[in-house]
Amino acid sequence: HSMGGAIVQRLMATSMHHLAAAVLVSSPPPQGIDQTSLLGLFFKSPRNLLRSMRASRAHSGVRLASLFDTYLLNEYMSKEEVNHIRGQLCIESVAVYDDLMKPLIDDHIEIQIPVYVVGSKMDKVILLRDIQQQEIRYQTTAYLLEKSSHFLMLDPYKNEFVDILVEILSNR
């Protein structure tokens, strides 16, 4: 999931012969995170992103916690679910953020394994265009959930995600 999908794509680039298949869940596109996207701007400098958002009248009181709620979670989650998810997250190194904005797998590498892509139309971190880039690069059709957040496996709609994983694994 997410950064784990970036790691899988890097593994595909270096050690594909060790893999039977890959499942990318809400993962960055093969080209890496777009530096001009909201996520890319956040990775570059969370403080500068907050400052620029606060400078606009529409986001004058924005806080990091509200960005987390708006962009990572689902509006259908209870406060308890939100607090549970927050409690499981950790701060990542800036080096990790920089690495995620670089290409994850070069275009010249031939994909020799099945790649399954799972995402959500409501994910505000890994956008539909990112999923479409994965579909093109890995010559597959993504499984798209309608209402899930970036955290598909913790979302109120997680059963739909589980059903997709069961389908993928059953067909292997």
Side-chain angles (χ1 to χ4, degrees):
H1 169 257
S2 198
M3 190 180 306
I7 293 168
V8 167
Q9 290 176 81
R10 288 274 163 84
L11 187 60
M12 288 168 49
T14 60
S15 306
M16 194 174 334
H17 59 282
H18 289 295
L19 304 173
V23 180
L24 306 175
V25 179
S26 297
S27 299
Q31 299 86 345
I33 299 294
D34 178 358
Q35 294 184 26
T36 63
S37 70
L38 187 65
L39 186 59
L41 294 171
F42 176 79
F43 282 176
K44 280 182 176 178
S45 174
R47 286 189 184 124
N48 285 345
L49 175 63
L50 282 173
R51 282 187 197 118
S52 66
M53 289 182 85
R54 287 176 181 152
S56 80
R57 292 181 184 200
H59 295 65
S60 61
V62 72
R63 302 182 97 72
L64 199 53
S66 62
L67 283 178
F68 177 85
D69 292 352
T70 301
Y71 289 95
L72 291 174
L73 303 178
N74 191 318
E75 62 191 59
Y76 305 108
M77 290 180 172
S78 69
K79 279 203 181 275
E80 293 78 24
E81 289 170 315
V82 169
N83 289 334
H84 175 74
I85 292 169
R86 280 189 182 154
Q88 295 185 27
L89 298 176
C90 63
I91 296 173
E92 298 295 343
S93 160
V94 173
V96 170
Y97 294 153
D98 288 342
D99 202 43
L100 286 172
M101 290 191 283
K102 297 174 186 166
L104 302 172
I105 185 167
D106 291 330
D107 289 338
H108 72 277
I109 295 174
E110 182 184 346
I111 306 305
Q112 300 170 349
I113 60 171
V115 179
Y116 303 93
V117 175
V118 183
S120 172
K121 292 179 181 178
M122 286 184 58
D123 190 337
K124 295 176 185 155
V125 175
I126 301 302
L127 304 176
L128 204 48
R129 70 169 187 245
D130 300 324
I131 303 272
Q132 291 165 340
Q133 289 174 10
Q134 292 175 42
E135 288 179 311
I136 292 166
R137 176 63 176 101
Y138 302 122
Q139 299 177 0
T140 190
T141 301
Y143 293 85
L144 287 173
L145 289 104
E146 292 291 328
K147 295 183 178 180
S148 293
S149 67
H150 183 67
F151 292 105
L152 303 170
M153 68 298 238
L154 302 173
D155 200 88
Y157 297 97
K158 63 184 163 258
N159 289 342
E160 293 174 37
F161 170 62
V162 169
D163 290 344
I164 288 171
L165 286 183
V166 168
E167 180 182 332
I168 290 169
L169 295 173
S170 296
N171 291 331
R172 289 282 317 135

